[in-house]
Amino acid sequence: MRLAVFCLIGLALCRAQAEPVEARRTAEQRLAYVEALMRDESAAARMLAHEAARRQQSAAREHLEQGRRLLEQNAPERALREAEQALRALMKARQLAPDPAHQAQVERVRYETQLAGVESLARSLRERPDASAQSAADVDRAARRVLEARTLAEGGRFAQAQLVLAASAALLASALDRLMAGRTLDYTPRFASAEEEYRSELARHRSLQELVPLALRVLQPEADAKGRIDQYMLASAKLRASAERAAGNHDHQTALEALREATSYLQRALTATGVGYPL
């Protein structure tokens, strides 16, 4: 029994001794990592040329030096906290003064993403049989801007190309506005049955549903607008599911009412993207 007690006491002592050793090792590693980052001369030069980045770099150096002092005073946990603060300040400094090559790659990816969205919406608008002559003219002007953006991108001028694509997106948004404004919410009875009217409304619903993700990609609304759009799309999906259940039970009048409400949420979603849909 005494032997077992002594063994437990020994294990506890070993654990107590190991914990400070591990904490010190972690602090040393983190401080060494920050020091290695600080020795990056090209990054340091960029930060020195940027006032806000320079302040963050200075703060990182102060936290690093304080961490070293605390480690010498045998306070590894506090030293680790200083190392983490140093790392956060240094990362902030690097973000403020990014590597030009990395920044160029970021701009390229943004351009390619924006280009894909603009071309997708343009293709969709061209294929719509209900597009007006004015809408078609807007799409043609947008296409010319896309060609201009491609030329800029081929010369490595991705930021300028994005600005031109934004102008193209504005023209496509105008074409989409014209398309939506040409639609009316006229529910005057002109169908042989509720089932026929339900099928017509379902086709309209699907058409609008396809436009929402395209408008999102091209117009890129703010985060709060995206939150509202997600809510509208979720509400629309739930109502459409309810409509489909009612239609499956051959209650097409109930299905039609639910589907109309589902479509109204799609209209709200389009409006939130920036498209001037007449509600």
Side-chain angles (χ1 to χ4, degrees), residues 40 42-43 46 93-106:
D40 185 339
S42 60
R46 293 196 306 271
R94 283 178 167 243
Q95 290 171 1
L96 291 168
D99 177 18
H102 174 70
Q103 187 66 22
Q105 179 61 24
V106 169

Side-chain angles (χ1 to χ4, degrees), residues 185 204 208 263-272 277-279:
L185 303 181
R204 191 172 77 96
L208 292 182
T263 301
S264 74
Y265 277 105
L266 291 180
Q267 294 168 354
R268 291 185 179 93
L270 275 171
T271 299
Y277 196 98
L279 295 177

Side-chain angles (χ1 to χ4, degrees), residues 39 61-62 72 102 106 142 173 192 196 215 237 248-249 261:
R39 288 195 295 270
R61 187 176 292 108
E62 290 175 4
E72 291 172 359
H102 174 70
V106 169
E196 182 182 331
N249 293 327
E261 190 173 356

